[in-house]
Each structure stands twice: as structure tokens, then as C-alpha cells.
């Protein structure tokens, strides 16, 4: 029987000239763009694996070998894996960097990679951009650790992981339904135009994420 | 923000993130001896009295949780349970 190669496509295409690309598990991935600049930047992470986890006893579960944060809104960053506690019975897992893990067989996990858009925004003037897109207070003082918000971003219900920094630059990683992808990117680029927002590749994102891990 | 609602999961948020789910009418009536008129009243009739009432809301643009709050329908403000208990 001939092997089947899957061709996967991101819901969006960033407007830039890719400098380095690769294909990863059927996804065309841009590692870097020709003129990324020094930020702020936006990166498409839609190809990274994501799962929803639902169950009655999340505190005792260890998806991909990691514990789940206890309180809703808490975020646990382990290597390239971001575990977001949504509520008493649900969590979201985003594998944002590193080698793709083996798909977990736990029936409590549902893969949602191809159902959602995932974008990262970062840079020193990040919150100037986000203020134009949401009434959520992403820059609320008193938060130093990453945290999760669920709310409207560009009038679209989103899950938003906020990395206030330092040590890394202020960063926002968020997901929404795939169908909103085109319009969401349009809104983000329009809001970021006055701040010099440029597209960035997976390598730039991983460098920023690494800064937050250490 | 003119009107905020406190979501049990997300905390205080802009009222526009939520959708009204109706007055809290208490538990569903028992099926035994339930007349069509009584069921119709339970489903369709609301008290709509001015003042504080218990209501259902859903965090539609956020976590999706359904929950109840007490709201002063005259001032259009959420009223905390602690303040209600102190007033009684």
C-alpha cells in the first residue's frame, strides 16, 4: 500500500518574504523572514501541536509527563510545552517549540491543531498594539509570571497566554477558531502598522520563548 | 466600563462579554401533577420587578461558563452577595 503524505495548510499567510523554510509533519513552516526587524513582530504558530484536555480529575493527570496548573488562568511552561488551566475540568496544551511529540493516546485529550489559528505577538510596544484590539487588560500590573486569559480579541473569543517579561520581551500567544484566521490577521496587521509590526518566523519566536524559560 | 460582571472563572469583566440567560426561577418543577399552565408560567413568565434579582449569565466571549449573579435592575449593577446579606 503506498504511503500517504498529508499536506497541511495554515489558515493564514503572513505578508513577508521567507528567508528560511522547512516542511514539518506536512506543514510548510517559515523559520525566518528576510526583514524581520527588531520588533514588534507577529509569528504564525498554527502548525504547532495543540490539544484540549477535559476530565473530572485534572489535578491527578500528567499529560505528556507534566502536571496541570491548579487554578484557572495559571500557566505552566515546561520546555516548549505550555499548559493552560481553563477551568475546573478543562486545560489547553500548546506545544510551541522543539521536536513534535508523539501524539498522546489518552482519550481525555483532543487534538485541535487544525481547528484553530495560533499567533504570537511580541516586542517592547506589544501592549500598544493589543490595546487597539481588546478591552482585556493584558498589561495589568502585578503580574510577572505568564498567565492565561479567555476573552475577546478583535471581537473574537480567544485563549490568550500573556508573557509580561522580563526576562524575555513582552509576548502574547493566542488561539482562536481557524475560520477567523484571515480576518484576525488583517486586524492584527492593521493595528500594528503604526508600531512597525513585521512578520517573524518560528526561529525568532523560539528565541523569545527561550528567554522566558530561563 | 459602565457595567461589569464577575465571572467565577475569569473574574470581573466588561458586561459586553456576557449574554443574559434570564431570571433564576429556582429548580425545575416536579413533573408529577405539573399542569400545562404551570409549566408555561415557569418557562415563559418572568417577575421583572425593579430591584435586586438573581439572574443567569453566560461568559459567551470568554470561558463559556454559566453562572448566577445578583443584579440591581434599576442601577444596572452587579450586587455582591456579602452586601446583600449585610442589608438583610
Amino acid at each position: 500500500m503506498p504511503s500517504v503524505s498529508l499536506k497541511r495548510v495554515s489558515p493564514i499567510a503572513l505578508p513577508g518574504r521567507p528567508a528560511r523554510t522547512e516542511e514539518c509533519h506536512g506543514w510548510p513552516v517559515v523559520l525566518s523572514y528576510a526583514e524581520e526587524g527588531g520588533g514588534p513582530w507577529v509569528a504564525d504558530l498554527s502548525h504547532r501541536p495543540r490539544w484540549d484536555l477535559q476530565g473530572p480529575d485534572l489535578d491527578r493527570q500528567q499529560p505528556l509527563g507534566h502536571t496541570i496548573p491548579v487554578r484557572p488562568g495559571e500557566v505552566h511552561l515546561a520546555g516548549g510545552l505550555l499548559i493552560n488551566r481553563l477551568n475546573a475540568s478543562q486545560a489547553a496544551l500548546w506545544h510551541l517549540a522543539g521536536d513534535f511529540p508523539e501524539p498522546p493516546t489518552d482519550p481525555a485529550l483532543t487534538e485541535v491543531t487544525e481547528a484553530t489559528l495560533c499567533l504570537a505577538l511580541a516586542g517592547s510596544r506589544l501592549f500598544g498594539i493589543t490595546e487597539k484590539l481588546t478591552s482585556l487588560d493584558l498589561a495589568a500590573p502585578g503580574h510577572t509570571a505568564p498567565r492565561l486569559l479567555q476573552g475577546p480579541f478583535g471581537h473574537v473569543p480567544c485563549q490568550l497566554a500573556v508573557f509580561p517579561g522580563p526576562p524575555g520581551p513582552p509576548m502574547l500567544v493566542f488561539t482562536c477558531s481557524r475560520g477567523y484566521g484571515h480576518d484576525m490577521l488583517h486586524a492584527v496587521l492593521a493595528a500594528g502598522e503604526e508600531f512597525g509590526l513585521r512578520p517573524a518566523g518560528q526561529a525568532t519566536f523560539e528565541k523569545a520563548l527561550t528567554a522566558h524559560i530561563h | 466600563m459602565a457595567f461589569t460582571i464577575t465571572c467565577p472563572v475569569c473574574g470581573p469583566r466588561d458586561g459586553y462579554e456576557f449574554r443574559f440567560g434570564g431570571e433564576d426561577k429556582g429548580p425545575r418543577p416536579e413533573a408529577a401533577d405539573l399542569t400545562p399552565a404551570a409549566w408555561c408560567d415557569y418557562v415563559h413568565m418572568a417577575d421583572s420587578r425593579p430591584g435586586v434579582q438573581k439572574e443567569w449569565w453566560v461568559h459567551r466571549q470568554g470561558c463559556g461558563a454559566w453562572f448566577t449573579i445578583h443584579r440591581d435592575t434599576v442601577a444596572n449593577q452587579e450586587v455582591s452577595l456579602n452586601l446583600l446579606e449585610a442589608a438583610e
Side-chain angles (χ1 to χ4, degrees), chain A residues 93-158:
Chain A
L93 281 69
W94 303 344
H95 196 276
L96 299 175
D99 293 336
F100 279 39
E102 285 294 316
T105 55
D106 186 346
L109 287 159
T110 303
E111 178 160 8
V112 294
T113 310
E114 289 172 278
T116 56
L117 165 78
C118 183
L119 283 181
L121 286 161
S124 57
R125 290 180 291 175
L126 165 70
F127 297 123
I129 299 172
T130 58
E131 278 185 359
K132 296 172 71 177
L133 292 164
T134 181
S135 61
L136 297 172
D137 191 2
L138 304 186
H143 296 281
T144 53
R147 64 194 173 109
L148 179 86
L149 293 167
Q150 300 174 80
F153 190 81
H155 301 286
V156 173
C158 291

Side-chain angles (χ1 to χ4, degrees), chain A:
Chain A
M1 190 173 170
S3 63
V4 178
S5 68
L6 294 173
K7 180 76 176 171
R8 295 184 163 98
V9 180
S10 169
I12 59 162
L14 292 174
R17 187 161 57 85
R20 287 190 300 137
T21 62
E22 68 173 12
E23 185 166 312
C24 190
H25 292 254
W27 295 90
V29 178
V30 178
L31 298 175
S32 64
Y33 285 85
E35 295 172 351
E36 293 191 344
W41 48 258
V42 55
D44 180 14
L45 304 176
S46 300
H47 60 285
R48 298 301 311 186
R50 296 180 295 283
W51 297 272
D52 277 351
L53 173 61
Q54 183 162 342
D57 53 352
L58 293 195
D59 296 336
R60 290 193 303 181
Q61 294 212 30
Q62 290 200 326
L64 300 173
H66 297 282
T67 54
I68 300 169
V70 176
R71 282 184 288 276
E74 286 185 342
V75 166
H76 180 204
L77 181 59
L81 180 66
L82 198 67
I83 306 175
N84 308 311
R85 184 66 180 254
L86 302 176
N87 54 43
S89 59
Q90 290 179 303
L93 281 69
W94 303 344
H95 196 276
L96 299 175
D99 293 336
F100 279 39
E102 285 294 316
T105 55
D106 186 346
L109 287 159
T110 303
E111 178 160 8
V112 294
T113 310
E114 289 172 278
T116 56
L117 165 78
C118 183
L119 283 181
L121 286 161
S124 57
R125 290 180 291 175
L126 165 70
F127 297 123
I129 299 172
T130 58
E131 278 185 359
K132 296 172 71 177
L133 292 164
T134 181
S135 61
L136 297 172
D137 191 2
L138 304 186
H143 296 281
T144 53
R147 64 194 173 109
L148 179 86
L149 293 167
Q150 300 174 80
F153 190 81
H155 301 286
V156 173
C158 291
Q159 294 172 9
L160 307 112
V162 185
F163 299 75
M171 186 164 73
L172 168 69
V173 182
F174 70 95
T175 66
C176 68
S177 290
R178 182 185 175 98
Y180 292 111
H182 182 79
D183 294 325
M184 178 61 79
L185 178 63
H186 178 81
V188 167
L189 291 176
E193 189 175 8
E194 66 174 296
F195 298 92
L197 183 72
R198 290 171 180 237
Q202 172 79 22
T204 305
F205 166 74
E206 288 190 5
K207 196 184 298 180
L209 186 68
T210 305
H212 281 284
I213 294 172
H214 297 294

